[in-house]
Amino acid sequence: MAQTDLFTPISFGRIEAANRVIMAPLTRNRAQDPDGVPNDLMVDYYRQRAGAGVIITEATQISPEGKGYAWTPGIHSDAQVAGWKKITDAVHEAGGKIVLQLWHVGRISHVSLQPDGQKPVAPSAIAAEVQTFDGTQMVDVSEPRALEREEIPRVIADYRKAAENAKAAGFDGVEVHAANGYLLDQFLRDGSNTRDDDYGGSIENRTRLLFDVLDAVTDVWGPHLVGLRLSPFSNANGISDSDPMPLFRHVVEGLAPYDLAFLHMVEGQTGGSRDLEGANSIADLRKLFRGAYIANNGYDREKGIEAVASGAADAVAYGRPFIANPDLPERLKQDAPLNDPDPATFYGGGAEGYTDYPTLNAEKAA
Ligand code: 8OZ
């Protein structure tokens, strides 16, 4: 039997991937149309990266209220669905697979980005001490208002509608973004969720919204086509919990009935240290999940190969390396040099630092 490595095919549930080099979700703020419609520049960007086993798109707001940064795309309007359809068509023509990341920012927003200038919504009226980009400058996020109990079914319905829209846009699946301190993570954690109804308090109550959303999204997509992203030990966007291990054990144990395509975890601090208080915490959580596991956070070629070879992960999601190397899987396979990403062009702007990084073939021809 051929040995399993980073470059062999894998099934994420019903999503068949040609290799295990996954493109991590990357916010790039190129949807400058005020309505958050994906544009032709984004078509080029994603087409260039179709060699990934699976592309997980940038976080995409499920509703106008779910937006927290200027120029991020949405999946709640017909024009957005049409824009994404061009992207899924281009990736499929190039032989790739692409999954949409469903996102609601919750309290990580600013009144100027919200419909009618209203306050962002959150589990509780507790502001995060972080900033966002409003289209002109970095600004402190606004104080949110607590969602009313009777509004929660509407938020779940927004996830359902977005999941239907993603299907209409031709995606191969969806990933529910429950990481990095956004709405679902805010509900999970006791630092941001102090509700006294059935969506706050006990672990069972704090995890209820996540499971409700998974119910809705898997109902739309069916089994083995929905993934989930978590960042159990990150404090990204001012998130905190007094005891994350039992919380996330409950989450991961609760995933069994959903028949997810994959579980995708940010290991350690998002974009930062991989060191955890409990060295085996991630491995312990992973053991509780029966499906495919995608590891993320600071992996290089060697760490990725080692993670798959040892069975610590089934696949590895690369973020920053995919920004600067559209043909990353090929480069990793050949052990070819990598281009360095330029942080000045990560967020916003045009083609520069977005679609102008060369492939190996382009470098050879030059
Ligand atoms: C960087 C900048 C803005 C948003 C995340 C969606 O951390 C993001 C994000 C990352 O998950």
Side-chain angles (χ1 to χ4, degrees), residues 107 122-127 144-147 152 183 185-202 205-207 239-242:
R107 66 182 184 169
S124 304
I126 305 169
R145 68 174 181 86
L147 278 163
I152 290 181
L183 183 74
D185 209 11
Q186 290 158 30
F187 267 85
L188 292 178
R189 315 241 192 184
D190 58 16
S192 43
N193 182 348
T194 59
R195 300 179 71 90
D196 56 12
D197 59 16
D198 54 340
Y199 284 87
S202 66
N205 284 354
R206 283 183 278 131
T207 55
I239 208 76
S240 68
D241 192 81
S242 57

Side-chain angles (χ1 to χ4, degrees), residues 4 20 263 265 267 274 280 282-287 289 291-296 299 303-316:
T4 296
R20 295 153 190 251
L263 174 63
M265 288 206 280
E267 300 174 342
R274 300 179 43 79
N280 294 319
I282 289 286
D284 289 348
L285 289 176
R286 188 257 164 113
K287 266 184 233 144
F289 183 70
Y293 173 63
I294 304 177
N296 170 249
Y299 279 82
K303 279 205 200 88
I305 288 174
E306 160 60 21
V308 171
S310 70
D314 297 300
V316 178

Side-chain angles (χ1 to χ4, degrees), residues 25-29 58-60 69 72 101 103 105 108 132 177 179-182 229 236-237 266 270 347:
L26 293 162
T27 289
R28 303 302 309 275
N29 310 72
E58 64 205 277
T60 300
Y69 303 81
T72 54
Q101 196 191 50
W103 190 35
V105 297
I108 308 300
T132 183
H177 190 352
N180 296 343
Y182 297 108
R229 194 176 207 218
N237 285 310
V266 181
T270 309
Y347 309 115

